[in-house]
Amino acid sequence: MRDNPSPATFLNDDSLRRNLRGLAVGITLFVVLGTVAAVWANPLFVRMTPVGPWEFVATVLTAFLGGVTAAMWVPQCNLRASGTGGLASFLGIACPTCNKVLMLVFGGPALLAWFDPLRPWLATAGLVIMGTAALTTWRRFRAVRTGNRKVQGLRGLDRGDVK
């Protein structure tokens, strides 16, 4: 027989709220990123270059890592790394000729000759940065949940800022 947990246990456990937040962020990122980058045909944005299969996979992974990071976020976490990775991933997924800023900086022929071949690598770098941010967030989340005062960082440094 299972022992009945007290109502205070359910009030202190916010896992349902965290999971719903992560799911909402992941779905929103997937829909917005895929629509703006025109990974699928939509009436809002038209893509000038064909979509490769890696772009859909990168869109899914970006949304997944963003949702995981949002679900485990605690006040001791810094979201700059995840945001930087998301931006790099977006630039890697998006159509290079549709991006007006890139078009102004590089020009059309240079953009297709120099930037377009680097897009898969940029998306991969963004996913690695987001994965690192998700791992760091998970470590800090776990430390807060277990009550540890120090969090081992990715570089092996102890961080005493977790309360």
Side-chain angles (χ1 to χ4, degrees):
M1 231 179 165
R2 298 178 78 179
D3 48 336
N4 293 329
S6 67
T9 304
F10 290 113
L11 291 176
N12 291 333
D13 185 18
D14 62 344
S15 60
L16 178 63
R17 184 172 46 96
R18 286 181 174 280
N19 290 335
L20 290 175
R21 179 177 61 202
L23 185 64
V25 167
I27 290 171
T28 302
L29 272 174
F30 179 73
V31 169
V32 170
L33 182 62
T35 302
V36 171
V39 174
W40 47 76
N42 66 74
L44 300 174
F45 298 96
V46 177
R47 191 174 178 104
M48 303 295 175
T49 59
V51 177
W54 64 270
E55 290 165 326
F56 184 76
V57 172
T59 304
V60 170
L61 289 175
T62 300
F64 173 75
L65 289 171
V68 165
T69 302
M72 292 184 297
W73 183 83
V74 290
Q76 291 78 11
C77 291
N78 189 345
L79 295 178
R80 274 184 279 175
S82 186
T84 302
L87 179 64
S89 184
F90 170 73
L91 289 175
I93 294 167
C95 173
T97 58
C98 302
N99 190 328
K100 306 299 184 242
V101 175
L102 291 176
M103 188 64 85
L104 285 172
V105 171
F106 293 109
L111 191 61
L112 289 174
W114 295 97
F115 183 72
D116 194 38
L118 296 177
R119 287 185 323 111
W121 298 106
L122 185 60
T124 302
L127 290 171
V128 167
I129 292 168
M130 287 186 77
T132 303
L135 181 62
T136 303
T137 302
W138 174 70
R139 287 181 176 173
R140 290 185 182 160
F141 173 76
R142 190 178 62 181
V144 167
R145 287 295 173 130
T146 59
N148 286 343
R149 299 284 300 166
K150 292 190 180 246
V151 178
Q152 181 102 15
L154 289 176
R155 289 178 260 156
L157 302 173
D158 284 338
R159 295 195 48 164
D161 61 351
V162 177
K163 296 177 179 146

